[in-house]
Amino acid sequence: MKIAVLGTGGGGRAHAAKLLELGHEVTVGTRDSQVTLGRTQPDFMGIEPFGQWLADYPGIELRNFAVAAEDAELVINGIDGYHAVDVLSGIAEHLAGKILMDYAVPFVHNPERAHPWPTPWGVMPALDPVDHDSLGERIQRALPEAKVVKACVTQEQETVVDPGSVGGGDHTMFVAGEDAEAKQQVIALLRSYGWEDVLDLGPIVCSRGMEMYSHLHSAIGFAVGGRFGIKVVR
Amino acid sequence: MKIAVLGTGGGGRAHAAKLLELGHEVTVGTRDSQVTLGRTQPDFMGIEPFGQWLADYPGIELRNFAVAAEDAELVINGIDGYHAVDVLSGIAEHLAGKILMDYAVPFVHNPERAHPWPTPWGVMPALDPVDHDSLGERIQRALPEAKVVKACVTQEQETVVDPGSVGGGDHTMFVAGEDAEAKQQVIALLRSYGWEDVLDLGPIVCSRGMEMYSHLHSAIGFAVGGRFGIKVVR
């Protein structure tokens, strides 16, 4: 399948590499491909420049957002939650009628809203929107013709593309969205990643719970000191 | 141990019955014990009047909040999240120096803040506080001399007192709080309930994640159509 992964961060790279391995035609989207390829220093997170990473994955194309989305049959949003609605709205015409799988969490970029309690992770996460709205719903409202499927929110993306690396894969993936067929296609993609237990939570409003889980996810992560998954035991 | 369970709802009843079975001296606290015992009709949730329930548990005492807390060595808060800070502040002198295990979630009582989307459960949950504060933190700030331990938030209380009823008990309980010894005592109590995997998340700020998980909990509950637990797979 022709799949575009929007965003060049660690999560987007994990999906792009896995999709290439699975035989898909993969394009990564970025704001300005020349600027992205021109970077030679690690970013503020210490992640290696995209151009260096890309050299290990011949076959993956880097294009500007609009071009990447235009050519794709399925689009994965790996743009950070703070910028996602703006960027996606700007290329809405190229997303109409397509499945848009979104795993972003709307972390607040303003550190003044974060709690000053000195956690092992610096500050607590802070979300906007939260509780009475969600990023998944905002994206669906901004792109009424796209079929938004919220998924891959409750794990690191390295775990998403390799579920067997945690507990032999015996943990749960959640999806939510308005379009039943789009969810089925995303579930099929997730099964090709290795997911066995995929739980359809229902409509896109369930994005709230998936995004708000990020607080508990952070706390569990620092308590267990490594990658983990959560399994719905029933 | 002398344990007070504050609140006469379904959750409080589950704890009181279990604690009695385990041989503890159990007092249930309520605003006005005469009013509580005078009720003869099920409440708005369809729960039988407390007096009827109590008849099956000789040995459990019903007292006003202050008296129940005053006599107890450990106190369990089963007062709904909307009223908890006010009620507990009013009996602060009887909670000083004691362990206060709190499982409440601060659900908003104002239906206008709830989302009108017609979920299977009517409306989405809505929380206040959320994200940059939590009920657990508010209670600890209001009662600086009490040792607040947030626990039993991510399950129905019927599951909390009978973890083996779901998946043979192979799921996870979370605790958080400032006082390490208080957490150890709560963990010992949870082990007596049957919990094997109890994860200490850290300080009381982790209440945020535990309370905010309620959105995902609701969505999972309606997707699986029954009681469940979540297991941290690592």
Side-chain angles (χ1 to χ4, degrees):
Chain A
M1 202 192 298
K2 286 175 116 168
I3 301 180
V5 179
L6 306 183
T8 57
R13 296 181 196 186
H15 283 276
K18 182 69 178 182
L19 291 165
L20 183 72
E21 176 195 321
L22 291 170
H24 296 286
E25 209 172 308
V26 184
T27 305
V28 172
T30 188
R31 195 176 294 269
D32 183 325
S33 59
Q34 293 313 306
V35 170
T36 298
L37 290 175
R39 292 200 182 101
T40 56
Q41 299 298 317
D43 73 2
F44 74 104
M45 300 274 285
I47 299 178
E48 69 171 335
F50 188 80
Q52 273 181 33
W53 176 86
L54 191 61
D56 293 333
Y57 297 95
I60 295 180
E61 303 281 342
L62 183 70
R63 295 285 181 266
N64 290 359
F65 286 132
V67 178
E70 183 176 15
D71 286 348
E73 298 162 76
L74 185 150
V75 178
I76 297 177
N77 175 40
I79 301 165
D80 70 276
Y82 189 72
H83 296 102
V85 172
D86 277 354
V87 171
L88 296 172
S89 297
I91 58 169
E93 63 185 303
H94 304 303
L95 296 166
K98 294 179 183 172
I99 295 170
L100 177 62
M101 187 183 91
D102 168 48
Y103 65 77
V105 176
F107 291 119
V108 171
H109 276 221
N110 175 3
E112 292 187 8
R113 268 213 56 212
H115 185 274
W117 188 84
T119 66
W121 56 99
V123 294
M124 290 296 290
L127 306 178
D128 181 19
V130 68
D131 188 56
H132 52 284
D133 197 5
S134 63
L135 181 64
E137 290 165 272
R138 281 197 181 171
I139 292 174
Q140 184 62 86
R141 288 199 302 271
L143 302 161
E145 293 181 64
K147 299 165 185 171
V148 178
V149 178
K150 196 91 193 183
C152 313
V153 186
T154 58
Q155 305 88 0
E156 310 303 324
Q157 300 311 307
E158 292 72 17
T159 306
V160 165
V161 301
D162 188 12
S165 64
V166 172
D170 187 21
H171 44 120
T172 306
M173 166 64 75
F174 304 103
V175 301
E178 301 297 321
D179 189 292
E181 195 188 315
K183 284 193 282 193
Q184 285 309 312
Q185 287 200 49
V186 168
I187 290 172
L189 184 70
L190 293 169
R191 295 209 185 284
S192 76
Y193 280 8
W195 286 93
E196 291 178 8
D197 187 26
V198 183
L199 188 58
D200 180 356
L201 293 175
I204 195 69
V205 71
C206 296
S207 299
R208 297 180 194 181
M210 294 158 82
E211 296 172 9
M212 289 167 73
Y213 164 78
S214 60
H215 274 254
L216 186 58
H217 180 82
S218 294
I220 295 171
F222 282 98
V224 305
R227 267 162 61 187
F228 65 94
I230 55 165
K231 176 184 175 180
V232 175
V233 177
R234 66 276 205 192
Chain B
M1 203 192 296
K2 286 175 116 168
I3 301 179
V5 179
L6 306 182
T8 57
R13 294 181 196 186
H15 283 276
K18 183 67 178 182
L19 292 164
L20 183 73
E21 177 194 319
L22 291 170
H24 295 287
E25 209 171 307
V26 185
T27 305
V28 172
T30 188
R31 196 177 292 271
D32 182 326
S33 59
Q34 292 314 307
V35 170
T36 298
L37 289 175
R39 291 198 184 102
T40 55
Q41 299 297 318
D43 73 2
F44 74 103
M45 301 273 284
I47 299 178
E48 69 172 334
F50 188 80
Q52 274 181 32
W53 176 86
L54 190 61
D56 292 333
Y57 296 96
I60 294 179
E61 302 283 340
L62 183 71
R63 296 283 181 268
N64 291 0
F65 287 132
V67 179
E70 184 176 15
D71 287 346
E73 298 163 75
L74 185 150
V75 178
I76 296 175
N77 175 40
I79 302 165
D80 70 276
Y82 189 72
H83 294 102
V85 172
D86 277 353
V87 172
L88 296 172
S89 297
I91 58 169
E93 64 185 301
H94 304 303
L95 296 167
K98 293 177 183 172
I99 295 170
L100 177 62
M101 186 183 91
D102 168 47
Y103 65 78
V105 176
F107 290 119
V108 171
H109 277 219
N110 175 4
E112 292 188 8
R113 269 213 54 212
H115 185 275
W117 189 84
T119 67
W121 54 100
V123 293
M124 290 294 290
L127 306 179
D128 182 18
V130 69
D131 189 55
H132 51 285
D133 197 7
S134 64
L135 181 63
E137 291 166 273
R138 280 199 180 170
I139 292 174
Q140 183 64 84
R141 287 199 303 271
L143 302 162
E145 294 181 62
K147 300 165 185 170
V148 178
V149 179
K150 196 91 193 184
C152 311
V153 185
T154 58
Q155 305 88 2
E156 310 302 326
Q157 300 312 305
E158 292 72 17
T159 306
V160 165
V161 301
D162 187 12
S165 64
V166 172
D170 187 22
H171 44 120
T172 307
M173 165 65 74
F174 304 103
V175 301
E178 301 298 322
D179 189 293
E181 195 190 313
K183 284 193 280 195
Q184 285 310 313
Q185 287 198 49
V186 167
I187 289 171
L189 183 71
L190 293 168
R191 295 210 185 282
S192 76
Y193 280 7
W195 285 92
E196 291 178 9
D197 186 26
V198 184
L199 187 59
D200 180 356
L201 292 176
I204 195 71
V205 71
C206 296
S207 299
R208 297 180 195 181
M210 294 157 82
E211 296 172 10
M212 290 167 73
Y213 164 78
S214 60
H215 275 252
L216 186 57
H217 179 82
S218 295
I220 296 171
F222 282 96
V224 305
R227 266 162 62 186
F228 65 96
I230 55 165
K231 176 184 175 180
V232 176
V233 177
R234 68 276 205 190

